[in-house]
Amino acid sequence: MKRGDVWIGVVLLAAVALFAVPRLLGGTQTAEAAVARIQVNGELYRTVQLTEEVQEIEIRTERGYNRLKISEGGIEIVKADCPDQLCIGFGHVHTPGDTIVCLPNHMFIEIEPSDGQGVDVDGTAS
């Protein structure tokens, strides 16, 4: 075993600790404590609690149609009539700060903590 091998081991151990320790101590936001804010045409359409039970929301506007599915503590778009279908590709989101956007239908979904505090902004965005 060489001196460089020891340093590589130390760096790997530190990296694992940086990711594992906050999760073990409960420092991350859980999906049960999140809500989805749905905006259509720039206005708040609805705020929904992200729960484990399955529910569907249909949004019809003059711009188009979207069907949302809430399940397993998250939300996803399961059907849309927009031509590119990119909004379906966002998949199931559940972490505060995650977003889903359907530009042709002017719909924006953002996941936020249920306490209303919003998501922390990093130093470069403030």
Side-chain angles (χ1 to χ4, degrees):
M1 192 179 239
K2 297 179 184 175
R3 187 176 186 192
D5 295 336
V6 172
W7 282 110
I8 290 174
V10 169
V11 169
L12 287 174
L13 186 61
V16 169
L18 285 174
F19 289 106
V21 170
R23 284 171 178 71
L24 292 173
L25 295 177
T28 59
Q29 193 76 28
T30 61
E32 293 83 26
V35 296
R37 292 179 42 88
I38 304 166
Q39 295 181 17
V40 178
N41 292 323
E43 296 181 10
L44 181 63
Y45 176 80
R46 189 169 169 186
T47 301
V48 293
Q49 187 74 32
L50 299 179
T51 62
E52 295 295 320
E53 67 184 63
V54 177
Q55 48 180 310
E56 290 193 0
I57 300 170
E58 292 188 359
I59 300 175
R60 293 184 186 273
T61 67
E62 67 280 351
R63 298 199 180 274
Y65 167 79
N66 294 91
R67 181 183 300 156
L68 313 176
K69 180 180 176 184
I70 299 167
S71 64
E72 300 174 10
I75 189 168
E76 63 186 313
I77 297 179
V78 292
K79 188 170 183 181
D81 65 354
C82 55
D84 56 13
Q85 301 285 299
L86 292 175
C87 54
I88 295 174
F90 281 89
H92 186 264
V93 297
H94 58 274
T95 306
D98 286 349
T99 59
I100 299 175
V101 179
C102 184
L103 288 177
N105 295 346
H106 291 213
M107 187 179 68
F108 178 75
I109 302 169
E110 183 175 20
I111 309 301
E112 295 183 349
S114 62
D115 60 10
Q117 296 298 315
V119 178
D120 291 337
V121 179
D122 65 10
T124 60
S126 59

